[in-house]
Amino acid sequence: MMAFNIKNNILSKLFPIITVLLIFIRGFESFNLYSLETRYIEVPVDHFSATPITKYFYLRYMVNAKYYRKGGPVFVYTGGNRDISITAQNSGFLFDIAPIFNAVLVFIEHRYYGTSLPFGNASFATIENLKYLSTTQALADFAFLIDALKKKFFQKAEPPFIAFGGHYGGMLAAWLRLKYPHSVDGAITSSAPILYFPELTSCEGYYKTVTRVFKVYGKEKCVKTIKLGWEVILDLTKSNLGKDYISSTWKLCNKLKTPEDVDIFLDWLANVYIKLAMVNYPYSSEYFEPVPAFPVMVFCNKLTSNYVNNTKGFIQNYAEALQMITNYTGQTDCINIFYKQEDSNEVAWQYQTCTELIMPKCSTDEDMFLTKNWNYQQFALNCYKQFGVRSRPNGPLTYGKNVDSYSNVVFSNSMLDPGAWGGAYLKSADTLNDSVLTYQIIDAPHLMDLRGSDSADDNNIVTARKFYISTIKKWLKRG
Ligand SMILES: *[C@@H]1O[C@H](CO)[C@@H](O)[C@H](O)[C@H]1NC(C)=O
Ligand SMILES: *[C@@H]1O[C@H](CO)[C@@H](O)[C@H](O)[C@H]1NC(C)=O
Ligand SMILES: *[C@@H]1O[C@H](CO)[C@@H](O)[C@H](O)[C@H]1NC(C)=O
Ligand SMILES: *[C@@H]1O[C@H](CO)[C@@H](O)[C@H](O)[C@H]1NC(C)=O
């Protein structure tokens, strides 16, 4: 509980910073590729109370009706663990296909993310306020809004609604179809780790997939250098001088002082690699932050071409290689390794992955990360220290363990997307109900299929998108 209180203090102190950051991000909105109108709907804080609902909050959603023609369908994106305005800007596929279908687009924000905060700036302040952050409440928000839209805009003839979602948002799109089948007529999901729970999926695949991306795009030498890097860093950070050296050459915003700081630094670095593997698009992009085309290749080329065999030179070269990624625009003054503690979206996701969405991760000799066991007891204890709540592993399995109990869902997964580990691709398509379709994309970064088309797209992606379009057409004909 102690840690939880400390965390509260950190969060409330940092909220002004987060607000400033939001304004900063908004400042860029004029550069946004896709135009959307922001709207809000009042939704119950608790959908499942049997007594009259008294507390509501504003859930944000964003609409584009530019391509809508009467009789066209509604495409809803069920937002996951991100600010929905960012998700929308990275979901160009929906904008590309809206004119084909005369569709209206609705992107719905997930509660506790972005600006959809049930208790405003106090949403993360107490366990009591956090307890409405759950998949069941989020799904009920989506169904509630869809119902309201149907009542308000489509009284005479209800158009078909199709859900879309990537990763966690993809799990939600599939679950929405399963739990509220009258809400949406079908769901296209991309890299949704729908089976990623301790009981069903082993822990090593996530880091292995990241490593595979680095092997394919950075070659074996890069993986070896990264492995060596962990040892060099661990060795160097044993001393204060070493900590100072890393802090200054890597331009960290806060100096590394304690062993805990070093752990957070190592975790930050591991996350840089995960994110790099995810956004290894063939064009420059801004999924997390701005990165060049094929960032894994860019980073690995730099890291391995100027390899220096002494600790200081190695660390210096490492910093320079990383800068090409973390400081692509040249506008990052310093590196903030504490972002996970400071960004409310990250805190919300940590809470969810501590309570319901427990996705076991471990690293072994076969990947490029520091060896880390998966120990559920330890994991749950850390979560309890952080949030003061107990974990509920395998909780969402009450939605069903068998993907063939769904209907009108596409489960699409890319074999080079770490986020797809735990996806429904382990079964071969022919064992599934014919309205549940799995689709494998051989080589594509995270949710690339849901991005807008680009001249750098390869055949795999183009074919996947064609498959989604023809499947939606089938569903619309049937409906
Ligand atoms: C939330 O914002 C209000 C008004 O801006 C302020 O008075 C309050 O202290 C803030 N609460 C927290 C937990 O930051
Ligand atoms: C330098 O080379 C030696 C011998 O090959 C190796 O053991 C050591 O790990 C290398 N150090 C660095 C920082 O690359
Ligand atoms: C990012 O690049 C700019 C311009 O080259 C430089 O001034 C700044 O120190 C760099 N920041 C980091 C964190 O490396
Ligand atoms: C698949 O599920 C749908 C909906 O439950 C059902 O109508 C259909 O008959 C099933 N198809 C097969 C091949 O089992």
Side-chain angles (χ1 to χ4, degrees):
M1 289 309 292
M2 207 45 215
F4 184 60
N5 288 334
I6 291 167
K7 173 141 222 116
N8 284 343
N9 291 339
I10 294 176
L11 258 187
S12 48
K13 268 196 216 119
L14 286 165
F15 247 100
I17 298 176
I18 292 169
T19 314
V20 170
L21 278 177
L22 280 177
I23 291 165
F24 180 70
I25 291 165
R26 284 213 191 97
F28 280 109
E29 248 172 22
S30 50
F31 296 114
N32 281 345
L33 204 48
Y34 305 108
S35 71
L36 288 146
E37 192 186 313
T38 303
R39 296 189 188 181
Y40 300 88
I41 180 172
E42 274 192 294
V43 298
V45 170
D46 182 5
H47 288 276
F48 304 109
S49 157
T51 53
I53 294 160
T54 53
K55 280 206 202 92
Y56 289 82
F57 73 99
Y58 284 105
L59 190 81
R60 179 168 60 156
Y61 63 104
M62 303 181 97
V63 179
N64 178 304
K66 187 177 164 191
Y67 307 105
Y68 179 67
R69 300 282 173 279
K70 206 161 178 265
V74 181
F75 291 166
V76 288
Y77 193 109
T78 50
N81 50 319
R82 299 196 86 182
D83 184 301
I84 196 64
S85 64
I86 297 175
T87 298
Q89 292 303 324
N90 284 282
S91 305
F93 175 63
L94 276 77
F95 295 85
D96 287 350
I97 64 169
I100 303 176
F101 290 95
N102 299 330
V104 56
L105 306 179
V106 181
F107 292 84
I108 318 177
E109 190 155 72
H110 189 297
R111 54 168 60 203
Y112 290 83
Y113 292 91
T115 65
S116 298
L117 303 174
F119 302 94
N121 62 357
S123 295
F124 300 91
T126 61
I127 303 172
E128 190 54 32
N129 287 359
L130 266 168
K131 80 174 184 198
Y132 304 101
L133 173 51
S134 69
T135 57
T136 48
Q137 298 281 6
L139 289 169
D141 287 341
F142 297 151
F144 186 93
L145 170 60
I146 289 169
D147 202 40
L149 292 175
K150 285 179 178 174
K151 274 198 195 110
K152 187 160 179 212
F153 297 106
F154 305 107
Q155 267 167 345
K156 289 200 185 112
E158 197 178 285
F161 277 62
I162 305 290
F164 292 76
H167 197 245
Y168 171 44
M171 297 162 90
L172 293 166
W175 290 335
L176 183 66
R177 170 69 194 149
L178 187 70
K179 284 199 49 155
Y180 298 91
H182 63 284
S183 225
V184 290
D185 301 89
I188 302 283
T189 76
S190 170
S191 288
I194 200 97
L195 306 175
Y196 201 172
F197 296 101
E199 198 181 300
L200 295 181
T201 299
S202 57
C203 60
E204 80 297 330
Y206 192 85
Y207 290 120
K208 259 191 184 165
T209 311
V210 177
T211 306
R212 224 172 33 241
V213 177
F214 276 74
K215 274 187 185 157
V216 172
Y217 288 91
K219 306 286 176 273
E220 195 64 47
K221 195 174 172 197
C222 185
V223 169
K224 275 196 184 137
T225 311
I226 288 168
K227 275 189 173 177
L228 174 68
W230 299 117
E231 286 167 34
V232 175
I233 292 168
L234 277 176
D235 201 46
L236 190 62
T237 49
K238 278 184 194 143
S239 76
N240 286 337
L241 266 176
K243 286 193 198 78
D244 286 350
Y245 186 71
I246 288 194
S247 307
S248 63
T249 44
W250 291 44
K251 298 207 180 103
L252 305 184
C253 301
N254 300 90
K255 265 190 173 183
L256 301 178
K257 290 193 187 109
T258 62
E260 290 75 37
D261 292 348
V262 173
D263 283 346
I264 290 171
F265 174 70
L266 293 170
D267 185 53
W268 168 81
L269 186 55
N271 267 294
V272 170
Y273 294 141
I274 292 167
K275 287 179 174 178
L276 271 189
M278 286 167 81
V279 301
N280 195 41
Y281 303 120
Y283 42 76
S284 63
S285 65
E286 213 171 317
Y287 187 78
F288 295 114
E289 48 265 314
V291 291
F294 292 118
V296 170
M297 212 151 73
V298 170
F299 166 74
C300 283
N301 281 347
K302 177 85 179 156
L303 184 71
T304 53
S305 62
N306 286 345
Y307 183 78
V308 186
N309 186 285
N310 67 64
T311 300
K312 282 199 164 175
F314 180 87
I315 290 291
Q316 177 74 43
N317 179 49
Y318 206 146
E320 280 168 21
L322 263 179
Q323 266 214 31
M324 302 184 66
I325 304 301
T326 54
N327 194 14
Y328 178 51
T329 57
Q331 285 172 357
T332 313
D333 291 334
C334 60
I335 287 173
N336 179 13
I337 60 166
F338 293 98
Y339 74 102
K340 275 195 180 178
Q341 289 86 337
E342 296 175 5
D343 175 348
S344 68
N345 293 327
E346 290 281 348
V347 175
W349 183 235
Q350 282 174 44
Y351 178 85
Q352 288 204 273
T353 51
C354 264
T355 48
E356 273 185 297
L357 300 171
I358 292 161
M359 304 176 177
K361 293 189 183 81
C362 60
S363 41
T364 64
D365 285 345
E366 285 172 62
D367 62 55
M368 65 182 204
F369 291 88
L370 279 172
T371 307
K372 201 163 81 187
N373 296 330
W374 164 251
N375 177 333
Y376 172 69
Q377 264 68 32
Q378 189 58 47
F379 173 87
L381 187 66
N382 288 342
C383 284
Y384 185 69
K385 279 188 192 150
Q386 189 181 355
F387 291 109
V389 291
R390 297 289 180 196
S391 303
R392 197 182 154 212
N394 305 309
L397 288 185
T398 53
Y399 296 134
K401 286 185 208 179
N402 295 321
V403 279
D404 48 9
S405 53
Y406 290 80
S407 68
N408 291 359
V409 179
V410 170
F411 291 105
S412 179
N413 288 288
S414 162
M415 307 326 281
L416 276 190
D417 176 7
W421 182 248
Y425 53 82
L426 302 170
K427 283 187 169 185
S428 69
D430 56 4
T431 64
L432 296 175
N433 180 307
D434 71 352
S435 71
V436 183
L437 303 156
T438 56
Y439 191 91
Q440 287 185 22
I441 305 172
I442 294 160
D443 166 4
H446 194 54
L447 311 188
M448 183 160 165
D449 44 350
L450 295 183
R451 302 179 70 79
S453 72
D454 189 286
S455 54
D457 291 338
D458 66 14
N459 226 1
N460 292 322
I461 281 292
V462 174
T463 313
R465 291 185 186 135
K466 278 188 188 151
F467 172 74
Y468 306 158
I469 294 169
S470 65
T471 305
I472 296 168
K473 280 185 178 163
K474 247 185 248 163
W475 292 339
L476 296 184
K477 243 184 233 152
R478 243 188 255 164

